[in-house]
Amino acid sequence: MNLKLIKGMRLVVATHNPGKAVEIDALLGGHYAVVTAAGLNLPEPDETESTFAGNALLKARHAADRSGEVALADDSGLSVAALDGAPGIFSARWAGPDKDFAFAMRRVEERLEEVGPDDRRAWFTSALAVAWPDGPAVVVEGRVDGQLTFPPRGDR
């Protein structure tokens, strides 16, 4: 089994989000022929893991095994100390069916007002997984610590 990522090879990005596919393709710098899970008509798996790394691996493994090709997936989200780490792995759900992250941030602000502390410590976690069909996988995770500011600045 070839466990290398070779420039020019096709890589399945395990997403149904066209914007995310464009971002990942740009980050990969044109080194791979990116195709999405949506483009291959692969179903989205239920994210049943309890960590970002677990969900990224689940999605990469799902796409790799069903496509027969190397697959890359991500999972990420915002965690807030005063909310006991919420929304965390449920960040996308807090954004609702339209994935409106301005809405999600309004929910975070409302919950912080309910619990009352001045603690605005938060962190963003991102996990990436690459899985080979019926083979190994590599998972990496990073975290950026910071502090929430309201009202939000910027539009991303």
Side-chain angles (χ1 to χ4, degrees), residues 5 9-13 28 32-36 69-72 130:
L5 292 175
M9 74 182 290
R10 193 158 103 150
L11 180 66
V12 178
V13 176
L28 294 173
Y32 306 100
V34 170
V35 62
T36 65
E69 301 184 69
V70 179
L72 177 138
V130 177

Side-chain angles (χ1 to χ4, degrees), residues 14 45-63 73-76 89 125-131 137-142:
D46 291 330
E47 295 181 26
T48 56
E49 297 296 321
S50 61
T51 64
F52 294 108
N55 280 323
L57 178 58
L58 181 146
K59 292 185 281 188
R61 173 70 52 222
H62 179 84
D74 79 301
D75 197 43
S76 61
I89 62 167
T125 304
S126 183
L128 292 173
V130 177
V138 176
V139 182
V140 295
E141 183 177 273

